[in-house]
Amino acid sequence: MNRSEIREQVFKLLFRVEFNSMKDMEEQEDLFIATNEPKLSAADAEEVKEKYEKIASKLYDIDAMINEETLGWDTGRMAKVDLTIIRLAIYEIKYDETVPTGVAINEAVELAKKFGQDGSAAFVNGVLAKFA
């Protein structure tokens, strides 16, 4: 899988955080890998899990950054898809030196177009512009 496809799989796994406790997420990781279509290779599955776990370990800090920068739009008010995309992108911007900021934002906007509602792409772009 290419980096965009891996990122999409990480997004799908990270989205489960909204519906499961962090305690249950280890089981959710295994379930996600076992039932994912298309089937992930062992290397891709490991990369998805590794990136998800890195993001999950920083969720508290990422959410604090979001809440600090977005006046009137705290994490509790955001659409869950948009929030998940923003979390992923902020992780890449702030913590992943292998991903250029522009790439993180562009990829986030593409995910928002694919999985979000009308206006999600513009919303995600606007929030992430504060972190660029």
Side-chain angles (χ1 to χ4, degrees), residues 41-54:
S41 70
D44 289 343
E46 187 59 35
E47 188 173 351
V48 168
K49 286 176 73 170
E50 184 178 313
K51 188 162 187 174
Y52 158 75
E53 289 169 0
K54 287 178 181 178

Side-chain angles (χ1 to χ4, degrees), residues 17-104:
V17 167
E18 294 301 318
F19 306 99
N20 297 281
S21 70
M22 292 308 280
K23 184 178 77 165
D24 294 334
M25 281 306 295
E26 185 174 329
E27 182 180 342
Q28 287 297 315
E29 285 179 63
D30 295 337
L31 184 62
F32 177 80
I33 299 302
T35 62
N36 193 60
E37 289 298 329
K39 194 75 176 151
L40 297 173
S41 70
D44 289 343
E46 187 59 35
E47 188 173 351
V48 168
K49 286 176 73 170
E50 184 178 313
K51 188 162 187 174
Y52 158 75
E53 289 169 0
K54 287 178 181 178
I55 296 168
S57 73
K58 303 261 188 232
L59 273 184
Y60 180 81
D61 296 332
I62 291 169
D63 284 355
M65 285 185 251
I66 294 168
N67 289 330
E68 188 175 305
E69 289 294 327
T70 56
L71 300 175
W73 280 101
D74 66 35
T75 53
R77 286 193 61 212
M78 291 181 187
K80 301 305 181 198
V81 168
D82 297 351
L83 176 58
T84 302
I85 293 168
I86 291 167
R87 285 172 167 167
L88 173 56
I90 291 173
Y91 171 81
E92 290 181 336
I93 292 167
K94 296 292 185 183
Y95 301 104
D96 190 342
E97 295 177 4
T98 66
V99 181
T101 298
V103 171

